[in-house]
Amino acid sequence: MITTDGYWQAHLDNSHLTSRETQFCLGLLSGKTDKIIAREQGVEPGTVSNRIKNVHYKLKTTNRAHLVAELIRLKIVTLNVSPVVMMLLAAFVVNCVPMVVNDDPDKPRQARVTQRTVRRQEYMSLDDNSKGDEPCMKTQLYIT
């Protein structure tokens, strides 16, 4: 059984969630608050919150954005738009993304200039007895 809300459709007979939890998640995807979802479903807002917490536990998600991503990944919910709209949207997105072209590989990239907010600590060597190629360990003293 499939139900829709706005541009989203949900499969109520999935193996991951109950149909009530799926309906609450569908409202969540549509951008509704717990209070609005509760009013539409005829339950208390605390019930919606508790059911969504149960969904977090079942799908092992940490926040609502992660929950939405998992719902889409598991194909519990899908976007309900026509193929023509999807093609137009894809064409728009492709044309909006600038193409990165390196015309001259020998040309150096522009350096980013940043302003330091704190003073850098300077180093002063305590051991100046180093001789030529002989490896030695130097101890550093921080001067502030």
Side-chain angles (χ1 to χ4, degrees):
M1 189 164 127
I2 295 176
T3 184
T4 60
D5 188 1
Y7 294 111
W8 295 97
Q9 67 182 12
H11 304 279
L12 296 178
D13 52 355
N14 62 71
S15 62
H16 303 283
L17 306 174
T18 65
S19 61
R20 195 70 156 176
E21 290 169 345
T22 306
Q23 287 175 345
F24 292 159
C25 289
L26 185 62
L28 186 78
L29 258 78
S30 297
K32 298 175 182 172
T33 62
D34 290 353
K35 194 173 184 179
I36 295 172
I37 296 169
R39 189 178 303 134
E40 289 177 352
Q41 298 292 328
V43 295
E44 293 292 322
T47 304
V48 174
S49 179
N50 286 336
R51 288 287 187 132
I52 290 176
K53 285 178 187 175
N54 290 343
V55 174
H56 279 300
Y57 178 76
K58 287 181 178 181
L59 299 181
K60 296 177 179 66
T61 58
T62 54
N63 55 35
R64 290 187 179 209
H66 188 193
L67 174 65
V68 167
E70 279 297 306
L71 291 171
I72 294 170
R73 186 183 70 81
L74 294 171
K75 294 185 172 71
I76 296 171
V77 294
T78 55
L79 196 57
N80 186 21
V81 293
S82 69
V84 174
V85 173
M86 281 299 264
M87 286 177 25
L88 290 173
L89 182 62
F92 177 74
V93 168
V94 167
N95 289 331
C96 288
V97 176
M99 299 293 286
V100 178
V101 178
N102 191 359
D103 294 332
D104 186 9
D106 297 328
K107 181 180 175 184
R109 293 187 304 173
Q110 182 178 359
R112 186 185 322 177
V113 178
T114 58
Q115 185 74 26
R116 292 194 189 274
T117 57
V118 295
R119 189 172 170 158
R120 185 186 301 187
Q121 295 177 338
E122 297 181 17
Y123 301 101
M124 184 171 111
S125 175
L126 293 178
D127 186 1
D128 288 329
N129 298 348
S130 60
K131 295 183 178 153
D133 298 328
E134 188 178 305
C136 71
M137 299 291 290
K138 290 189 176 184
T139 306
Q140 302 289 332
L141 172 69
Y142 292 95
I143 301 174
T144 56

